[in-house]
Amino acid sequence: MNYDQARWTDDSDDLYEPLLSEKANETVEVDDSPLPDDLTRDSLSLPDPAEPELARHYTRLSQMNYGVESGPFPLGSCTMKYNPSFTEDVAGRADAAIHPGRPDSTVQGTLALCHRLQDYLGRIGGMDAVTLQPPAGAAGEFTGIQIAKAYHEHNDDERSEVVIPDSAHGTNFATAAMAGYEVVELPSGDDGRVDIEALEAAVGDDTAALMLTNPNTLGLFERDIEHVADIVHDAGGLLYYDGANLNALLGRARPGDMGFDVMHYNVHKTFATPHGGGGPGAGPVGVREELAQFLPNPHVRERGGNYEHYEPSNSIGKVHGFYGNWPVLLKTFAYIARLGDEGLRDASAKAVLNANYLAEQIEYEVPFGPFHHEFVASAGEQDAADAAKRMLDYGVHPPTTKWPEIVDEALMTEPTEGETKRSLDQLAAAFNAVAGDSDAELADAPSRPTAKRIDQATAARNPRLSWQALDDT
Amino acid sequence: MSDSDSHATGSPYAPQTAAETAAMLDAVGADDLESLFDVPESVAFDSEFGIDARSERATRREVARLLGRNADLTEFLGRGHYDHYVPSVVDDLASRSEFLTSYTQYQPEVAQGFLQALFEFQSMLVELTGLGVANCSMYDDATALGEAATLSQRVRSVSGDRILVPEHLRAGKRAVLSNYADGPDLTVESYPMSDGIVDVPALADDIGDDTAMVYAESPTVRGVIEERLGAIGDLTHDHEALFCLGSDPIALSLLERPVDVGADVVVGDAASLGTGTAYGFGLGMFVTREEYLRQVPGRLVGASEDAADRRAYTLTLQTREQHIRKERATSNICTNQAWVALRTAMHAAWLGPDGLIDLAKDCVTRARDIADRLDDIVGVKAPIHGRHHFREFLARTDQPASAIVADLAAEGFAVHAVDDHLVQVCATETTADATDEFVAAFREVAK
């Protein structure tokens, strides 16, 4: 965000008109078609800017947007870390642009890269086999739960429930429901961790799986994880690891060693892919050996120095039309190769240090602890959403708000390893300034970004989702 | 520089100096970094991954060396993944870090740029389809089709769990659909095609009041432009089922508007604009009627006003989404393909309506021309369906298709083998310079 420029344009309404809106549209008749009239449309009405106009339009839009390279972006559970430029170069290589319809023998390089990345991710997660196909974390969850379902069906063991802690990501709940399971919500214990008694009460013959992230969304390590695993396994269920918080554990503990049977990796969080305003990501899934037979088709293996696709014997089928979000996987490979063992461990250590340091510097109450990569502060008497808007005025992106719900007026904060002490101090200063601001100041915020507070209620009550739906045309 | 000032720690992207690290450890009262980890000894990992760190330069060289093992082929390949020329300005603008390094627009006041771009993307899809509501992306066409199937079950007034799809559906797409259909207990069944298009009388026999959704494509996976979409739409609505149409934004620039043939949902891969070939990397588009608005999966950007009464954009109707509604959400999708949608919108705007229509016409005439040239070859019949095609077509060869594919690969060209004696050829502007050599090579291998 270029605030100075944004302020300069504050009073000029015209600059807020969408350049590519109805006002710039050109309507073109479809004639001289190589097709009969009854197979074609009559006309097409779309924006028609010249390239210089297009360049200015999108450059201006970019200036009205805040990214990690604009400043701190401590959005808890989203792991917004700096992404090296060189991984973008690697993913954009002309020779990486391969069509998925080619025979295996003509794409040995691409398959070799897939195989090497499968191997790396397996080592990092402590998993025996890894599929690269799921195109996002939630797609990885769906893949993992479909694998668990296939496993139970394979064993003629019908199970109808998935157990999920109340602090879990919303995707866990939605994924379990999407796969046809009933969700059993598990209340957190007083210390913010899994309540063993509640778990024992929730788990039984109907339990297909427990979905868990560790460290959890409060930034707390589930110290009783082996006990948790025993309870779930004794009941015949599987333990699913949500990899959203893996950045906090690299090289210190591995899901496979903790007793998890299935996991997904949010490679765009833990490794490197800029989030691109909401995607693409990728969500590879790792499993222990017994579950490898259920992995999506195709899977990549090596035979006698050659690489090939094959269909695992009891494959769940496919979760993406082709091979998943391949460019994202290339970036992941490049990032892991660049950092290696020592770099991955260091990234994790600095992410944990930064979270603990920041938690120490801010004046809001921070319950629980000690923390791994993130912590959840409470805005207390303030409204967390308002506090977040006020933080925008201090030039930083606010944390995730009002979630998880087990902390009142939650400010869920994850600075990542990409911040210096200086920028953490700047973040802490923003937090502390907001903590001292009045409710009136919070309610009026923000005043500095390109847009002031946006009316969400009207947007939902009167949905206008395209320029065709704008009523002031 | 002293050691304590150095940034040269394990991760080159963790910028703290040793002095800063020491000061921060002191502030939190920890002796060292390891003591920050609250991991019980019994599950602690005390080994190595065995992954050596490489320099940037070495990593790039390694990737180049590995990718160098791919055969250098000119790809006349399609079947759901298409290579169209992407102008440099798209790469440049989309690479701006404010776009690339931002997140989902949970704080719209500092995300107006991306929100407006996504609003414009939605608007383009609304214009292309004539339907009222487009979301701002799914993963790819296959996952969008899966979401359409589950939508049909939620919105249909009568019960029924059958999803009817064409027998000529790409296997990968059908396999994804089957996974989406598994949870809600939908059944996926094929209806017959006749000479490349939907066999409407046969579909009429198959369809019933227990049908939740009928899916058809234009162009089909074989590149055939479907001629009876209106009849399929009417038949589907006679049974109160949802009519879902698969297409792509380039084809939609020229072909009948989906709203005019009765489509209730349009899905497809929009990555044909803005992305080029990336091993199946996609951009699912999802467009539907306004009456289904509250059942739409994924993100929606809406126009609103800010406190100064200026137009402003925001994510809206989030109570459909997983982060609010949890197990009652319309979909589990969270991270989508927003940046790819940005690229597609840029490419579409760069082309403009004239450019898009011309590109679409080119997809028709180019397929026709290259089919005609192959048809002149002894031992080749192309196209096998006497219909209009878009980008691609099937050819019947006297030689086994597998031999054609292998022999063409040896000559530096890639085509699909579809059946024992059927190969599929896709032609876009990106292979135009190689067409003459391709036809000559085909003549050699078809003997």
Side-chain angles (χ1 to χ4, degrees):
Chain A
M1 172 63 54
N2 180 335
Y3 282 119
D4 290 339
Q5 184 159 11
R7 286 166 72 109
W8 178 74
T9 58
D10 257 357
D11 299 317
S12 172
D13 281 341
D14 286 342
L15 285 173
Y16 289 87
E17 291 296 338
L19 177 69
L20 304 183
S21 76
E22 70 284 352
K23 288 171 187 164
N25 275 7
E26 177 87 6
T27 300
V28 171
E29 305 298 318
V30 176
D31 50 17
D32 300 327
S33 168
L35 297 173
D37 283 353
D38 61 350
L39 290 182
T40 60
R41 60 190 299 142
D42 298 332
S43 65
L44 183 63
S45 185
L46 285 173
D48 195 20
E51 187 170 314
E53 294 175 283
L54 185 80
R56 281 198 182 152
H57 174 65
Y58 282 107
T59 298
R60 165 123 185 89
L61 290 189
S62 75
Q63 288 168 338
M64 295 196 290
N65 222 65
Y66 188 105
V68 171
E69 293 183 13
S70 310
F73 211 134
L75 211 49
S77 225
C78 301
T79 314
M80 293 294 294
K81 53 161 91 172
Y82 172 76
N83 293 273
S85 303
F86 100 100
T87 59
E88 291 301 308
D89 286 349
V90 167
R93 292 180 60 91
D95 57 5
I98 289 287
H99 192 285
R102 279 196 185 196
D104 290 353
S105 62
T106 69
V107 288
Q108 285 297 298
T110 300
L111 295 183
L113 260 166
C114 288
H115 192 263
R116 203 169 287 190
L117 181 58
Q118 287 172 190
D119 176 53
Y120 282 176
L121 291 174
R123 294 189 210 189
I124 290 167
M127 290 286 160
D128 296 316
V130 174
T131 175
L132 304 177
Q133 194 178 104
E141 290 177 25
F142 183 58
T143 307
I145 291 299
Q146 288 294 93
I147 288 170
K149 194 174 183 181
Y151 164 82
H152 291 306
E153 283 171 3
H154 186 73
N155 294 333
D156 292 322
D157 188 7
E158 289 292 317
R159 287 168 178 259
S160 58
E161 295 174 353
V162 170
V163 181
I164 306 171
D166 56 5
S167 64
H169 299 103
T171 49
N172 288 184
F173 300 88
T175 296
M178 188 173 153
Y181 284 109
E182 286 167 44
V183 173
V184 177
E185 187 166 305
L186 190 64
S188 296
D190 293 338
D191 64 350
R193 295 178 170 83
V194 169
D195 179 332
I196 295 294
E197 278 182 29
L199 179 68
E200 281 173 333
V203 166
D205 292 345
D206 288 329
T207 304
L210 169 69
M211 298 179 84
L212 203 62
T213 185
N214 193 16
N216 66 25
T217 52
L218 292 165
L220 309 173
F221 192 85
E222 299 283 358
R223 286 186 293 242
D224 293 329
I225 187 61
E226 291 166 291
H227 192 184
V228 168
D230 286 345
I231 292 169
V232 174
H233 289 150
D234 288 348
L238 297 178
L239 197 56
Y240 182 92
Y241 183 83
D242 177 334
N245 300 337
L246 188 64
N247 197 47
L249 276 196
L250 293 171
R252 300 313 188 302
R254 306 192 303 174
D257 302 338
M258 291 184 234
F260 287 92
D261 304 291
V262 194
M263 70 174 288
H264 79 263
Y265 307 75
N266 299 75
V267 295
H268 46 289
K269 296 184 182 185
T270 309
F271 307 106
T273 289
H275 286 64
V285 166
V287 295
R288 62 183 172 81
E289 192 165 11
E290 194 182 351
L291 299 174
Q293 59 185 308
F294 304 109
L295 287 174
N297 173 42
H299 195 55
V300 178
R301 70 181 169 198
E302 191 234 319
R303 283 193 155 181
N306 289 317
Y307 299 91
E308 62 182 19
H309 283 123
Y310 77 103
E311 178 164 0
S313 56
N314 290 299
S315 173
I316 60 163
K318 287 182 71 63
V319 293
H320 186 268
F322 294 100
Y323 304 114
N325 281 344
W326 163 244
V328 178
L329 300 167
L330 251 180
K331 294 179 210 182
T332 305
F333 173 82
Y335 180 86
I336 293 173
R338 175 79 184 90
L339 266 67
D341 266 282
E342 193 196 348
L344 293 169
R345 283 176 61 86
D346 186 58
S348 206
K350 299 293 171 52
V352 173
L353 174 62
N354 282 2
N356 281 285
Y357 177 75
L358 183 60
E360 189 73 25
Q361 304 304 308
I362 70 172
E363 288 162 15
Y364 288 117
E365 187 200 346
V366 182
F368 310 116
F371 305 104
H372 274 228
H373 59 305
E374 64 190 0
F375 60 87
V376 182
S378 173
E381 300 296 308
Q382 292 180 336
D383 181 284
D386 286 347
K389 296 301 180 199
R390 185 63 174 151
M391 281 190 78
L392 297 174
D393 283 336
Y394 294 103
V396 297
H397 197 285
T400 301
T401 59
K402 304 224 178 199
W403 187 79
E405 288 145 1
I406 48 180
V407 173
D408 288 335
E409 301 302 331
L411 295 169
M412 186 188 196
T413 312
E414 181 180 8
T416 83
E417 71 274 19
E419 302 300 330
T420 59
K421 178 174 179 296
R422 183 189 166 98
S423 61
L424 293 170
D425 289 339
Q426 181 197 349
L427 253 177
F431 268 99
N432 294 337
V434 174
D437 283 337
S438 69
D439 287 349
E441 285 169 309
L442 266 54
D444 282 342
S447 59
R448 291 193 65 202
T450 32
K452 299 192 191 307
R453 186 79 67 100
I454 293 170
D455 182 353
Q456 305 276 0
T458 298
R461 206 162 44 237
N462 175 26
R464 295 179 298 163
L465 308 176
S466 64
W467 66 60
Q468 294 87 343
L470 296 178
D471 44 23
D472 54 353
T473 56
Chain B
M1 195 177 0
S2 74
D3 280 352
S4 65
D5 292 330
S6 171
H7 294 267
T9 59
S11 167
Y13 315 118
Q16 306 88 339
T17 63
E20 284 177 326
T21 300
M24 289 160 70
L25 282 169
D26 192 46
V28 301
D31 295 334
D32 55 28
L33 289 169
E34 293 313 311
S35 66
L36 294 170
F37 286 88
D38 183 30
V39 176
E41 192 63 35
S42 56
V43 293
F45 177 68
D46 56 6
S47 183
E48 297 282 321
F49 301 139
I51 301 170
D52 293 331
R54 287 81 123 182
S55 66
E56 254 194 49
R57 187 169 155 273
T59 306
R60 293 171 75 140
R61 210 171 48 209
E62 182 176 341
V63 171
R65 199 178 62 239
L66 282 168
L67 291 178
R69 294 176 61 180
N70 289 341
D72 185 13
L73 299 179
T74 304
E75 298 167 336
F76 285 80
L77 297 169
R79 291 182 71 81
H81 189 69
Y82 303 104
D83 192 21
H84 286 284
Y85 175 73
V86 180
S88 301
V89 71
V90 170
D91 283 333
D92 256 15
L93 295 172
S95 300
R96 291 185 64 89
S97 72
E98 301 91 333
F99 287 135
L100 196 60
T101 74
S102 64
Y103 194 67
T104 305
Q105 299 78 23
Y106 293 132
Q107 296 293 341
E109 291 83 0
V110 289
Q112 284 299 295
F114 219 124
L115 286 163
Q116 183 174 326
L118 293 173
F119 183 85
E120 290 171 0
F121 170 79
Q122 292 174 179
S123 301
M124 288 172 183
L125 294 186
V126 165
E127 168 61 21
L128 285 166
T129 60
L131 298 174
V133 178
N135 77 12
C136 61
S137 80
M138 322 257 17
Y139 308 127
D140 71 344
D141 58 349
T143 54
L145 174 58
E147 297 277 7
T150 58
L151 174 99
S152 74
Q153 196 185 43
R154 293 195 298 273
V155 303
R156 193 167 181 255
S157 54
V158 288
S159 67
D161 55 15
R162 294 168 69 217
I163 304 293
L164 303 186
V165 301
E167 65 172 326
H168 297 158
L169 182 64
R170 197 166 53 74
K173 198 184 279 186
R174 178 163 175 154
V176 174
L177 173 61
S178 295
N179 253 322
Y180 274 77
D182 181 53
D185 283 330
L186 294 163
T187 316
V188 182
E189 296 173 24
S190 295
Y191 61 78
M193 308 281 286
S194 175
D195 194 22
I197 60 170
V198 172
D199 183 338
V200 177
L203 175 60
D205 288 342
D206 280 357
I207 198 171
D209 291 342
D210 56 355
T211 302
M213 186 176 97
V214 173
Y215 175 65
E217 298 183 329
S218 186
T220 69
V221 66
R222 296 180 162 194
V224 176
I225 296 170
E226 178 59 57
E227 293 163 20
R228 306 191 59 186
L229 288 173
I232 300 166
D234 289 344
L235 179 60
T236 303
H237 292 151
D238 286 346
H239 294 273
E240 292 181 51
L242 235 63
F243 178 29
C244 179
L245 175 64
S247 193
D248 77 82
I250 298 174
L252 290 171
S253 306
L254 178 64
L255 302 182
E256 294 171 276
R257 282 200 315 162
V259 70
D260 295 332
V261 297
D264 301 296
V265 188
V266 177
V267 298
D269 218 299
S272 53
L273 285 175
T275 305
T277 305
Y279 213 47
F281 188 51
L283 168 59
M285 62 173 182
F286 192 100
V287 198
T288 189
R289 296 180 184 280
E290 270 175 278
E291 61 189 288
Y292 305 137
L293 173 62
R294 285 167 204 280
Q295 293 297 330
V296 168
R299 311 268 183 214
L300 294 170
V301 177
S304 187
E305 279 82 40
D306 74 357
D309 295 328
R310 291 173 309 206
R311 178 175 298 158
Y313 302 93
T314 181
L315 293 177
T316 193
L317 299 170
Q318 294 186 66
T319 52
R320 300 165 297 107
E321 294 190 56
Q322 46 72 31
H323 64 285
I324 308 278
R325 191 56 64 85
K326 296 166 89 168
E327 69 267 31
R328 293 185 303 282
T330 52
S331 165
N332 74 337
I333 193 166
C334 176
T335 293
N336 53 20
Q337 303 285 107
W339 185 73
V340 194
L342 174 79
R343 295 181 61 99
T344 291
M346 286 175 174
H347 192 177
W350 183 80
L351 286 165
D354 274 320
L356 270 164
I357 293 167
D358 286 348
L359 180 58
K361 288 177 181 171
D362 183 68
C363 289
V364 174
T365 54
R366 197 176 293 281
R368 182 182 295 170
D369 292 348
I370 197 166
D372 286 349
R373 293 179 68 181
L374 294 185
D375 196 48
D376 286 341
I377 298 171
V378 176
V380 179
K381 158 91 177 127
I384 66 162
H385 302 301
R387 307 197 179 276
H388 298 288
H389 288 77
F390 200 90
R391 289 195 195 96
E392 53 194 329
F393 58 89
L394 285 186
R396 189 180 309 283
T397 55
D398 289 350
Q399 294 293 331
S402 56
I404 297 276
V405 168
D407 293 349
L408 276 176
E411 299 292 323
F413 299 101
V415 298
H416 300 279
V418 174
D419 212 332
D420 290 351
H421 289 273
L422 292 179
V423 298
Q424 186 160 340
V425 176
C426 179
T428 71
E429 72 282 5
T430 63
T431 49
D433 295 344
T435 302
D436 290 348
E437 289 171 45
F438 173 69
V439 172
F442 212 111
R443 182 171 286 114
E444 286 304 307
V445 305
K447 280 180 188 167

